[in-house]
Structures are given as structure tokens and as C-alpha cells.
Amino acid sequence: MPSRRWIGPPIVALQLLALAPDLPAQLASTAVAGPEAAEPSARTYDGLFDEVIRMRPRADRAAEVTNLILQRDVARLTLRSGHLHLLSAVGGRTVGAVFSGTGVFSFVPSSRIERDRLRRLEKVDSLESPFTELLLVFADGTADELEAALEFGPDPDVNEMRGTIQPGLEFLADRDSRTFDPDFMSAWLNGEQSELFFAYVKRKGADPVAFSINPNEVEGVRLQGRIRRQGYGRRAEVISQFPPRGRAGQGRGERLRQAGIEHYALDVSLPPTGIGEVGFAATATMRIVADTAVGPWVAFELFEKLQVDSAAWGDGEKATIARGKDSPFLWVKLDRQIRPGDTRTLTVHYEGDLIDRYVDFFRIKSSAAWYPRSLDGRSLATFDLTFNTGFQYLLASVGDKVDSSRADRTVRSRWVTPSPIRNASFNLGLFEGYDVQEKDAPPVTVMISEEAHKKLAKVYDQQSRMRERVGADVAKSLKFFQEMYGPTPMRRFYATEIPDFHGEAFPGMVHLSWVTFQNTSDGGWDEVFRAHEVAHQWWGIGVDFASYHDQWLSEGFATFSGLWYLQHLRGDNEQYFDLLRRWKSSILLRGAEPGPIWLGYRVFATRDDDLDDYQTIVYQKGAWVVHMLRVLMLDLKTMKEDRFTGMMKDFYRKYEGRRASTEDFLRMVEKHAGTDMGWFFDQFVYGAEIPTYRVAHRIEKTPDGQWRVRLRVRQEHVPESFRMYVPVTLELGKKRKELARFRVKVEGPLTEIELPPVQAEPKKVTFDDLEGVLAEVKTTGWD
Ligand SMILES: [Zn+2]
């Protein structure tokens, strides 16, 4: 049950892959902490961590169990018969127990989407699983519940149950980095009772599962499967996840309770080292706030390779911090609990291995967690950033560059954000700056490593005028989106090159892969890629997404925007539709298997090379949804798009600077469509099925000399109620292409359609013209 950022998806990166170290296998000492430790381990982070990973069954606290029921939200653990042992104390408190015997784990997801999900992964829509062993970890009232229900006594033949405790704790702990689930850790360090509950269930005849309740998360009920190592570290497959009963719809975002940082003053040194690399050391002065009472121990995220040298409060007093080697968390002990309205100012000095050099490129290993951040990485803050670099480097960051000076061989520049933002980043390199600007659009500076490309030219093909080509797309797409979606507060825009295969977007700045500088592909993909990153200024940054369910409002919208820009740039539709069809092939190939767009990063969970599913569903199918709305809102008589463009502008204007949810977007679509659109979202955003249409047509001459087209559409692979309004185009006339366009309603297994008569003989009938529906279309004979 690690926090979202620990297990979660990249926020705006186009792709993110990193291999993480394996979990350690060896156990620490097997010493059992004293049952009634008179001196509760002073609640230091390290003290607690050692106690928790060394938890062992207590020989003096064993009980026989018959038909004990533990009900937690939609899950029920029925301990039919067996033995239960309390585990050794943590911070003087009983926080764990193990059971062996026979029992049943019941779990019934609360929503249709989650039941579908369970059916996909577990082949049933609710669980009723017999189990033989159980590990319980808790900060709730479980200890009292057990004490009240059972009679505890000594058991000299205590079973160590390592085969249950160790794999169970792997869901919560990483021994190497001395990291434990931050919510449990906070509850124990702060001596809090909370609803936190975790059960590792060793099922009979099936893989183990982990069930948990976390009151600090909006979707606090979670069922997880196996653990895989990936990304930031490792990720347990989320089988099912939803809000606790009676709490649906609470909060925007993913966490309910955490310390945030509302302002940063960062002074960053990026000194050239003797061997041509760049070091990293920083002083961060942060204003810590909270929306509910938290602490005194609070956790922040900080890139694992950065070491904290010292930390002090505003008055200079030394601050207590804890940080495991290579841990993604920085723990800070405040002088007291922080409450809403309180502010604490903490200064942290830290440094470390943040920047690698490749040829003449520098790679910043963590583009976002290079400063301490809130656990969900999503609180908004203002930044006052000062960078000190070698004079040979060019640097770009977020916000307005308010000052720059050179002394000796060091350049000092200062960047200030005019309003709060979610992620701050920077990039530096042996760059040449190239300025380009479209009329009435913000000026763009492209930062490219010309020298690196000279070296790369010896190995790879390379286009000429790299900076001009990339710069043109950045500047033109900025202008295009400004016209289509509305103005942004940005005054200058930076596009910098990175030695990676992805792009990333920050306020007023994008990082673009060196590959897109090297060449521009024929298929339009590079234009889409460059414009996708630019479009995040509107979608993802300007309008943030409410939770992981809504991330398609960022990635799907940015992908659609890139495609729309390509169509506008080329002045024809060929590549626009060609790319849509290519994405459709990927989507059809996966079918309903990954689940709906609304699952966000959780579409990951369905197979091992799962990055593709995230791209396919959230990016590409997300773009398809926007495209389908575009076609649905198109006036087929005039081919005008006013309704669609009006809607996109309105959506941007209404939610700029805020978080928007899928439901917010649905309401905006309905406002501009003037009708209920829930069915469309149910099918394509909350649902995963994609229709196949088997289409036959017949052309008849009417008695009065006109022509009539009949269509017979069989719909497959979707629920019976599935419906769409499908564009049908007839090509009329002999030589010149005269078009008659219609929109027909297709619903249910069989739809018979008679189009209004036309004056000339149709030469061609195109069903699902303009790629109006994400569907597989097959042409069949009439009978
Ligand atoms: Zn993106």
C-alpha cells in the first residue's frame, strides 16, 4: 500500500522507464522485541523501522480462534479455526498479528467498473477465497478487537511464520532503503490511531492478495496482487481500488491528508567538475503547510540519489530528519503538529548524483523530485529559483527569468514563477540558443546541443536545419493552440533537448527527445510529438487533472492536440486520419483487455510489457475520444466546427488553474452538445468495449427518379444498448465529387437504415466516414 507517487505513473512524461534495484532477500536480526517494552523506542524513525521489519510472533500472546470475523469495508476475513499470534510491539504498540488455520476472505467491489476489473484479473466479480495463513498490520482498533474476542496465553511452540510475514511486508517495506509505507509510518511515529489496516492473505489454490484500507487516500480501499519491480522502485499490481463506503466523491486529487509545501526558494549549484560533468548541490527553503492536522513527523518525496546534509528551522535551530539510503522519502520531525493555517519554514541542504553526462548531453535523472515534494507530488507552490552554473552552459527553468549575471566563470540566473505551479524543473547543457516567434504568440527559445549532433552525425542520419524545424513546430503549435483553446499566462517558452526517448512538459518549458531533433519522420509523428508537449501548457498544466482517472484529460487531450496541429499544419486530412487509423489498430489489437480509459495508469496491471497499454489507452484512445466528439459536434451541412472549438475554449477557460475531472468534462460536452452525453462516456471512457460493424448497403432507384441507399448494420462485441451516431457519406455525380453527408443512429445487434433520397446515383457509400466511430468496420453482402 505504498503512496501513489511511489507506485504511481509519471505525471506528464510521455514515457518513463527505469530499472529499480531488487528487494533484498536477507532478513535482519531475528531478535524479538520485548512484549511490554517499558521504554517505547523513543519513536525515532530508525527505531520504529527496525522494530517493524523484525516483527515476530510472540510466544506469550497466542490464541485459539474459532469463527472470528474481521469486517473492513467491503472485505470480510472469516477466521474459521486455527491459531493467532500477536506480533512483537512497534513503538510499544501491538500493530501486527499472524493467523494460521482455515478461513475465508470475501471481497465485493463496490462499482461495476471494479467488478469488471476483478472479473478480468481474477475471473470472478467478487472473491470468496479460502485461505490458510494471514498477516495483519494495523494502526486501527484491530488489537483491541482481537483482545476482546480471543483469550491469549503462552504458546511455547510458536511458529515463526516467516513465509507469511516476509512476503506480506514486501508490500509495505523496502529493507534496503529502510522505507516503510509512509502512512503506517506516520501513524506509528505520531502515535496516532487511524483506520489503517493491511491484510496479506495466503489463499488456498490461488495467488496471495493484499487487502488494505488507507484513510489518507481518496480511494482508500485496495486489493493488490503480485509485486513487480519497475519504475521508481516497485509496484504491486492493483487489482481493485475505490473509495470507502459512504465516502465516494470526497476530495479532488488522490490524497486527503498530507503536509504540503506552498513556496520554495531554491539556490542550486551546478558546478562543472574536473571531468566535464556537472555536480548538484542545493539549498531549499520551504514553507510547509497542511490542510488537516498532521505530524509532528511528516514525509516528503525526494529523489533517492540525493543526500540531505543538514536541515534547520527558520530560527536556525537544527531540524530532526530521517532518510534511508536510496529511499524515495525524506522524513521531517516538526516541533509540533502542523494545523491548517500554520506555516513552518524549513531549510534543507542537500546534494548528490542528479546529473549524468552522455556525449555532450546532460541528463537530469529526476526532472521533478529534485527538490522535496508533497507525497502525491501534486500540491501547488510558487518558486523562486537561483541557479549557479559554469559559464559554458546554457540553462532554462520555469517561470520568468528575472535576473542573470556573470562573475568570473560562473553564471547566476534567477527564475520566479508568477503563480503557483505543480512541477518545477530545469535543463542545462552545452546548448546553443535559437530564438523563434510566431506573430502574436510568445517567443520561443530552442536549446539544442549542436556539438553533440555533430558527433552523432558520424553514426546516425541527420536532417539539416534541426533547430529551425523543431523550433517551427514549437512556435506554430503554440500559436495554434492559443487560437483554439485560448491564451495562457506564459511570456516566454523554452524547448530544450534531452538525451532520452520521451518528452516532458513544465510551465513555460518542454524537454524534447534528441531523436526529434535528429530527424523528422514522414508519418507526421514528430510534429505530433512536439506539439503534444506544447499542448500540455493547456492540458495537464493549465487545466490539471483531478485524479489518475482523469489523466486522459492531459495525455489524451495533448495527443489529440498534436494530431490537430498536424492537420492544421499540413492543410490536409490524410495524415490526420492515417495516424488515427494506426492508433485504432493498436487499440483493436488489445480490445477490451486493458480496461477503460478511466482506469488511468491501472491499465498497466494487465501484462508485463504494459507501458504500451498506458500509451494505447490513455494517450491514443483518449485522443480518439476527443476526435469522436469533434465529429459528433461537426455540422455536416456546413462542415463548421464552432460547437467543438467553442466547447474546448470554454473548458479551458473554466478550469484554467484548477483540477478538472472526467465528470466536469462530460458536463461541458453536454452544455455545448445541448443533450445528454452520458451514454457516450459510458461506452468510450468508463467502458472498454469497441464495436464491430458488419455493414451491407443497397442502392435503389425510386419511382420518381431519385436514388435511395439502404444500410443494414450488424453490431457485435459490445453490450446490446451500445449506440453511436455514425457519419455516412455518398459520392454522387459523374466526374466532380459531390458529397451527400448523413449521420445515422446505430444501436443494438441489427440496425436497418434508409437514407433520405438523393438526386444523383451514388457511386460510393462510405460508412463511418471521417473515422467518426472508433470501431472495426467490415463490409458484407446484403444477405
Ligand atoms: Zn504527455
Side-chain angles (χ1 to χ4, degrees):
M1 192 174 49
S3 80
R4 165 97 318 95
R5 284 294 298 158
W6 197 10
I7 60 166
I11 301 292
V12 281
L14 205 73
Q15 54 164 257
L16 187 142
L17 270 178
L19 288 175
D22 274 355
L23 281 177
Q26 89 282 3
L27 274 169
S29 144
T30 53
V32 172
E36 245 80 71
E39 189 105 326
S41 63
R43 294 210 185 114
T44 66
Y45 182 92
D46 282 322
L48 275 187
F49 183 81
D50 287 337
E51 288 181 349
V52 70
I53 58 160
R54 289 172 193 167
M55 283 195 297
R56 291 291 173 276
R58 284 171 56 174
D60 60 336
R61 300 299 282 162
E64 295 273 323
V65 185
T66 335
N67 289 328
L68 172 69
I69 292 175
L70 297 173
Q71 180 83 40
R72 296 290 180 275
D73 204 79
V74 299
R76 189 169 62 236
L77 293 157
T78 308
L79 283 58
R80 287 253 153 85
S81 98
H83 296 273
L84 184 137
H85 286 82
L86 299 183
L87 299 181
S88 51
V90 171
R93 177 173 170 190
T94 297
V95 302
V98 282
F99 167 82
S100 70
T102 58
V104 177
F105 172 60
S106 322
F107 178 83
V108 189
S110 64
S111 71
R112 185 182 60 80
I113 290 178
E114 295 300 340
R115 283 192 293 276
D116 285 352
R117 180 85 183 148
L118 195 62
R119 199 178 309 119
R120 258 179 242 291
L121 296 175
E122 290 279 323
K123 316 297 172 218
V124 284
D125 45 10
S126 65
L127 291 183
E128 191 73 17
S129 301
F131 63 80
T132 54
E133 289 183 2
L134 203 58
L135 166 70
L136 304 175
V137 179
F138 39 81
D140 66 354
T142 301
D144 296 339
E145 203 175 334
L146 296 175
E147 293 277 2
L150 304 172
E151 245 174 71
F152 286 94
D155 172 10
D157 300 323
V158 57
N159 181 339
E160 287 280 294
M161 291 193 62
R162 282 195 203 177
T164 300
I165 297 175
Q166 196 179 339
L169 287 183
E170 278 203 13
F171 282 83
L172 303 169
D174 177 59
R175 286 165 215 262
D176 269 359
S177 64
R178 301 180 65 77
T179 301
F180 201 82
D181 175 87
D183 289 303
F184 268 114
M185 220 46 194
S186 298
W188 297 333
L189 281 165
N190 295 325
E192 281 174 2
Q193 177 120 336
S194 92
E195 291 163 50
L196 279 164
F197 177 85
F198 170 88
Y200 174 72
V201 184
K202 260 183 134 168
R203 295 189 293 173
K204 213 165 152 180
D207 290 338
V209 287
F211 167 79
S212 56
I213 300 277
N214 186 340
N216 301 338
E217 300 202 343
V218 172
E219 296 193 337
V221 181
R222 187 176 293 161
L223 184 72
Q224 291 172 299
R226 68 207 161 103
I227 293 178
R228 284 180 290 161
R229 289 90 170 115
Q230 199 191 341
Y232 284 80
R234 65 222 177 80
R235 186 173 52 221
E237 176 181 272
V238 176
I239 298 170
S240 195
Q241 180 180 307
F242 43 88
R245 272 201 281 238
R247 292 225 205 115
Q250 197 182 75
R252 250 170 208 247
E254 282 146 49
R255 290 186 59 87
L256 292 167
R257 200 166 167 255
Q258 65 181 5
I261 297 167
E262 62 170 20
H263 178 75
Y264 292 88
L266 289 160
D267 197 307
V268 181
S269 289
L270 302 162
T273 65
I275 50 169
E277 303 211 339
V278 172
F280 173 85
T283 297
T285 299
M286 320 179 293
R287 279 210 307 268
I288 301 171
V289 292
D291 50 9
T292 46
V294 289
W297 280 97
V298 294
F300 297 105
E301 188 195 7
L302 181 63
F303 178 55
E304 60 208 30
K305 297 293 174 194
L306 297 173
Q307 290 99 45
V308 175
D309 300 326
S310 67
W313 298 108
D315 59 6
E317 193 194 334
K318 192 168 177 288
T320 303
I321 55 161
R323 179 158 166 83
K325 186 179 182 300
D326 293 341
S327 168
F329 300 119
L330 166 66
W331 286 89
V332 178
K333 190 183 181 190
L334 307 170
D335 54 346
R336 59 179 188 279
Q337 238 195 9
I338 185 163
R339 293 165 187 281
D342 287 354
T343 303
R344 297 281 193 289
T345 302
L346 179 69
T347 298
V348 180
H349 299 276
Y350 62 106
E351 64 179 322
D353 180 14
L354 182 68
I355 302 172
D356 278 343
R357 182 168 180 162
Y358 297 98
V359 197
D360 280 348
F361 293 115
F362 295 103
R363 179 166 178 270
I364 297 165
K365 292 181 200 172
S366 175
S367 56
W370 59 280
Y371 54 88
R373 294 155 62 84
S374 62
L375 278 188
D376 65 358
R378 300 197 61 191
S379 37
L380 295 177
T382 47
F383 288 79
D384 186 334
L385 302 143
T386 301
F387 295 94
N388 302 281
T389 57
F391 72 97
Q392 64 271 51
Y393 305 123
L394 219 52
L395 179 139
S397 187
V398 296
D400 298 328
K401 187 177 181 176
V402 295
D403 195 19
S404 179
S405 60
R406 182 176 164 178
D408 195 18
R409 298 169 69 82
T410 299
V411 174
R412 189 174 168 84
S413 63
R414 185 166 164 228
W415 307 69
V416 177
T417 59
S419 52
I421 61 171
R422 172 151 56 83
N423 294 319
S425 192
F426 67 94
N427 194 14
L428 88 164
L430 294 162
F431 289 138
E432 313 258 338
Y434 165 69
D435 292 332
V436 54
Q437 184 171 15
E438 288 285 310
K439 191 171 176 290
D440 302 325
V444 173
T445 300
V446 180
M447 292 190 178
I448 171 176
S449 291
E450 301 274 9
E451 286 303 314
H453 286 284
K454 273 183 201 156
K455 289 174 187 167
L456 287 165
K458 293 173 186 155
V459 190
Y460 301 107
D461 277 351
Q462 194 170 81
Q463 65 187 355
S464 58
R465 297 165 44 79
M466 284 184 276
R467 58 182 207 178
E468 287 83 357
R469 283 181 202 237
V470 174
D473 281 328
V474 172
K476 284 180 181 166
S477 62
L478 264 182
K479 184 179 167 71
F480 177 65
F481 298 142
Q482 190 173 286
E483 280 164 11
M484 292 299 124
Y485 303 141
T488 72
M490 148 197 5
R491 276 177 277 221
R492 169 167 286 278
F493 195 74
Y494 292 90
T496 77
E497 190 177 17
I498 53 169
D500 266 306
F501 294 95
H502 66 261
E504 227 174 319
F506 298 90
M509 176 170 66
V510 288
H511 299 331
L512 297 174
S513 168
W514 66 280
V515 177
T516 202
F517 285 87
Q518 194 75 9
N519 273 302
T520 302
S521 62
D522 292 332
W525 173 244
D526 280 281
E527 288 88 339
V528 173
F529 168 75
R530 295 162 193 162
H532 169 117
E533 297 306 336
V534 172
H536 275 310
Q537 297 305 313
W538 284 263
W539 312 119
I541 294 169
V543 177
D544 202 350
F545 50 92
S547 80
Y548 74 91
H549 291 298
D550 315 298
Q551 203 161 357
W552 72 283
L553 300 179
S554 168
E555 298 303 351
F557 274 46
T559 303
F560 167 79
S561 303
L563 187 65
W564 198 10
Y565 164 72
L566 177 72
Q567 182 189 31
H568 164 79
L569 178 78
R570 298 282 166 98
D572 71 45
N573 300 334
E574 199 179 317
Q575 273 182 331
Y576 178 91
F577 287 119
D578 190 50
L579 277 172
L580 276 173
R581 282 189 285 264
R582 274 163 56 186
W583 295 342
K584 177 160 82 177
S585 317
S586 322
I587 298 164
L588 289 175
L589 202 63
R590 297 293 291 133
E593 179 67 25
I597 290 176
W598 197 72
L599 282 180
Y601 79 94
R602 287 174 54 200
V603 299
F604 269 128
T606 41
R607 49 175 206 173
D608 290 326
D609 53 338
D610 47 22
L611 188 72
D612 287 339
D613 278 347
Y614 187 59
Q615 298 270 334
T616 305
I617 302 302
V618 175
Y619 287 60
Q620 297 173 357
K621 191 177 171 190
W624 255 98
V625 166
V626 187
H627 162 75
M628 283 193 277
L629 290 170
R630 184 185 180 193
V631 176
L632 276 170
M633 297 175 107
L634 177 69
D635 182 332
L636 288 183
K637 283 200 184 71
T638 61
M639 295 303 274
K640 282 207 164 127
E641 303 205 75
D642 301 357
R643 273 205 290 185
F644 176 72
T645 51
M647 172 185 77
M648 296 301 273
K649 275 201 180 83
D650 196 3
F651 187 53
Y652 181 73
R653 196 167 44 234
K654 180 158 182 193
Y655 290 97
E656 188 189 2
R658 295 162 60 194
R659 290 181 182 175
S661 69
T662 300
E663 294 70 36
D664 294 327
F665 182 55
L666 166 60
R667 277 191 291 274
M668 186 56 74
V669 174
E670 288 182 332
K671 175 182 164 188
H672 287 265
T675 178
D676 165 57
M677 291 295 285
W679 57 274
F680 175 85
F681 279 66
D682 282 343
Q683 293 175 176
F684 291 105
V685 181
Y686 303 114
E689 283 83 11
I690 294 171
T692 298
Y693 296 133
R694 294 184 185 278
V695 187
H697 75 263
R698 210 154 76 168
I699 301 171
E700 296 161 353
K701 196 164 184 182
T702 62
D704 58 354
Q706 299 191 81
W707 300 85
R708 187 193 300 286
V709 174
R710 289 175 188 280
L711 294 159
R712 179 174 290 161
V713 186
R714 291 180 200 283
Q715 178 176 269
E716 296 168 359
H717 302 136
V718 284
E720 281 219 357
S721 60
F722 201 97
R723 67 173 134 142
M724 259 312 265
Y725 297 86
V726 187
V728 178
T729 303
L730 310 181
E731 285 179 25
L732 309 173
K734 294 200 171 76
K735 279 188 181 158
R736 71 200 164 95
K737 243 189 190 178
E738 193 187 317
L739 302 178
R741 294 180 184 276
F742 304 95
R743 193 175 270 127
V744 300
K745 182 179 181 183
V746 174
E747 184 173 19
L750 177 67
T751 309
E752 300 270 3
I753 300 152
E754 191 179 294
L755 296 182
V758 288
Q759 304 300 319
E761 185 181 1
K763 301 294 181 198
K764 192 180 172 197
V765 178
T766 309
F767 182 83
D768 195 17
D769 195 23
L770 307 169
E771 299 293 332
V773 185
L774 174 59
E776 187 157 24
V777 179
K778 293 182 171 169
T779 307
T780 66
W782 187 256
D783 295 310

